[in-house]
Amino acid sequence: MILNYIWIGLILLAVVMGCIQCFCFGNTDVFNAILDSTFANAKTGFEISLGLTGVLSLWMGIMKIGEQAGVVKQMSKVVSPFFTRIFPELPKGHPAFGSMLMNISATMLGIDNAATPLGLQAMREMQESNADKTKASNSMIMFLVLVTSGLTLVPVSIMTYRAQMGAANPADVFLPILLATYCAALAGLISVAIAQKINLWNKVVMGTLVGLTAVVAVIIWAAMHFPQEQVNRWSAVLASILLLGVIVWFIVAGMVHKINVYDAFIDGAKGGFQTAIGIIPYLIAILVAVGMFRASGGMDLLVRGLGAFFALLGLNTDFVPALPTALMRPLSGAGARGMMIDAMAQYGADSFVGRLVSIVQGSTDTTFYILAVYFGSVNIKNTRYAVVCGLIADFFGMAGAIALGYLFFH
């Protein structure tokens, strides 16, 4: 329901902004820009879905092998003590636990291509035990809010963009990004836990969170004591080992359990193809609305208004040029990435703004894109409070990014 209102609101605001620019400021090209954006973003949405087809088919085929070989069930048992406490409506050893674990692991390592199909697999498994097939379950909401927080241990892509834009030390934003995205993940977890009345003071939950904090601390230490090139190289090697290791592990397990590995893969791959086709309408809908709002000049007006508001409060406004990236991030990953690169080109990769937009880009994930794709893959119409909690995680991630930007680089 909330997505419905947001979608309608973005389109109507785009039209209103177009009318204001045309009739008040004489910008007669604005309606052409808005119309062009609808066709361009519809095409982009289809191309993204088409690009996902191969990856989804591959990883859902691999997951089907792991499922029939019993590997996913074994993984579910390993994480069951923690997951059964933050996903209390799912029974111990639920198959979705294994898919969720692999999705979160891939996201933390920055392997987005592998994370998405694993996440969609988890949604399908949770949907099977969902009493109301059109309404998001508590478990789905908790999982998606954790996904939208985008907890990433090694932001390789952002460091790569910074290197391409001429940053002297592309990895200098590593630590603030890690801290900002961790803030977003904790905020998301806490907000959903409050809504679902989940006890986070449980020993298992607290122990897991303390352990994750320790892992983050070790990574921070390593990043501060090793050259950036070495950190990038080993993170890429670790990601490759993880992916290849999972594939080999599942296939060998299938051979040991004497299942037809090839047929299992084909069966899973067919499901991946159907999933990719199913998300096309949802993806096009959100991308078109965002593109219209941006083309109408609404985003620029909003940023200028916020800048004037913060100046009126007497606050330092050096962060305002980074707001377009922050505001676009929950709406469009490609849009936010483009704004980040544009800001670095305009102000310099090593400027305060250049570093801040990098931190903002890495602090959280694309909330509306993820909700549209993941919920759309299982035909969920009522998303309940998923958007609200996802935006709470975004807010804390963005606020943390700005605060850390000032702390480290201002």
Side-chain angles (χ1 to χ4, degrees):
M1 186 65 69
I2 295 178
L3 276 175
N4 174 55
Y5 293 139
I6 291 173
W7 188 73
I8 294 174
L10 287 172
I11 293 177
L12 292 181
L13 281 173
V15 174
V16 171
M17 285 298 304
C19 290
I20 292 174
Q21 289 205 50
C22 180
F23 298 112
C24 296
F25 300 102
N27 183 5
T28 56
D29 294 329
V30 64
F31 288 120
N32 288 333
I34 294 174
L35 186 60
D36 290 343
S37 75
T38 62
F39 294 114
N41 282 283
K43 180 182 178 182
T44 299
F46 176 76
E47 289 174 346
I48 291 174
S49 300
L50 190 64
L52 282 174
T53 303
V55 179
L56 283 169
S57 298
L58 168 64
W59 282 101
M60 287 191 174
I62 295 296
M63 287 298 293
K64 178 62 70 172
I65 296 173
E67 179 183 333
Q68 293 189 10
V71 177
V72 174
K73 186 176 181 179
Q74 293 172 3
M75 294 174 64
S76 300
K77 290 181 179 179
V78 173
V79 298
S80 184
F82 175 66
F83 276 12
T84 52
R85 286 164 173 81
I86 64 172
F87 301 100
E89 70 180 8
L90 297 180
K92 291 183 177 180
H94 193 280
F97 289 163
S99 301
M100 285 190 284
L101 173 63
M102 294 180 66
N103 168 271
I104 293 172
S105 299
T107 300
M108 292 173 72
L109 291 170
I111 316 170
D112 295 334
N113 288 339
T116 299
L118 295 170
L120 296 179
Q121 175 72 9
M123 291 294 288
R124 292 174 62 185
E125 291 163 344
M126 284 186 282
Q127 179 72 330
E128 291 179 1
S129 57
N130 186 12
D132 188 343
K133 301 300 183 184
T134 63
K135 181 179 178 181
S137 66
N138 287 348
S139 299
M140 289 178 177
I141 294 174
M142 173 63 85
F143 173 59
L144 285 191
V145 171
L146 292 177
V147 171
T148 61
S149 68
L151 180 60
T152 304
L153 295 181
V154 186
V156 176
S157 62
I158 293 176
M159 291 189 289
T160 301
Y161 284 122
R162 286 184 53 75
Q164 292 174 345
M165 297 302 295
N169 180 13
D172 57 4
V173 296
F174 169 82
L175 180 55
I177 286 177
L178 182 58
L179 295 176
T181 188
Y182 195 51
C183 287
L186 284 179
L189 174 63
I190 292 171
S191 65
V192 178
I194 292 173
Q196 298 181 2
K197 298 180 180 179
I198 296 173
N199 179 22
L200 293 180
W201 296 107
N202 179 276
K203 291 182 179 179
V204 175
V205 176
M206 288 302 298
T208 302
L209 294 178
V210 170
L212 286 174
T213 303
V215 171
V216 170
V218 171
I219 292 174
I220 291 172
W221 176 88
M224 295 177 64
H225 288 80
F226 291 96
Q228 176 251 328
E229 295 82 3
Q230 191 171 352
V231 172
N232 285 351
R233 184 171 64 254
W234 280 107
S235 64
V237 170
L238 180 60
S240 298
I241 290 175
L242 174 67
L243 290 178
L244 292 174
V246 167
I247 294 173
V248 173
W249 178 22
F250 281 20
I251 291 176
V252 171
M255 294 171 60
V256 170
H257 288 81
K258 298 180 180 180
I259 68 170
N260 190 320
V261 175
Y262 179 78
D263 285 349
F265 177 85
I266 296 300
D267 186 31
K270 290 178 180 178
F273 178 80
Q274 293 300 322
T275 299
I277 298 301
I279 67 176
I280 291 176
Y282 299 90
L283 188 55
I284 290 177
I286 193 66
L287 289 180
V288 166
V290 171
M292 289 177 66
F293 182 65
R294 184 181 180 188
S296 71
M299 182 66 72
D300 293 335
L301 181 63
L302 180 60
V303 170
R304 287 198 297 268
L306 289 173
F309 172 73
F310 290 126
L312 188 63
L313 295 177
L315 299 177
N316 183 289
T317 58
D318 290 348
F319 70 94
V320 171
L323 287 181
T325 303
L327 294 174
M328 185 58 69
R329 187 61 177 133
L331 299 170
S332 168
R337 183 168 58 250
M339 290 182 172
M340 174 189 70
I341 294 173
D342 181 69
M344 284 194 285
Q346 182 176 354
Y347 294 93
D350 288 330
S351 66
F352 172 69
V353 173
R355 289 186 171 108
L356 182 55
V357 291
S358 301
I359 302 170
V360 167
Q361 178 73 4
S363 64
T364 185
D365 213 325
T366 313
T367 297
F368 290 102
Y369 169 87
I370 289 174
L371 294 182
V373 170
Y374 280 54
F375 280 135
S377 69
V378 289
N379 297 313
I380 292 293
K381 309 297 183 183
N382 184 358
T383 60
R384 300 168 67 196
Y385 49 86
V387 173
V388 174
C389 290
L391 291 178
I392 289 174
D394 288 340
F395 173 79
F396 279 92
M398 300 299 177
I402 293 172
L404 289 162
Y406 273 90
L407 179 64
F408 280 84
F409 303 116
H410 198 269

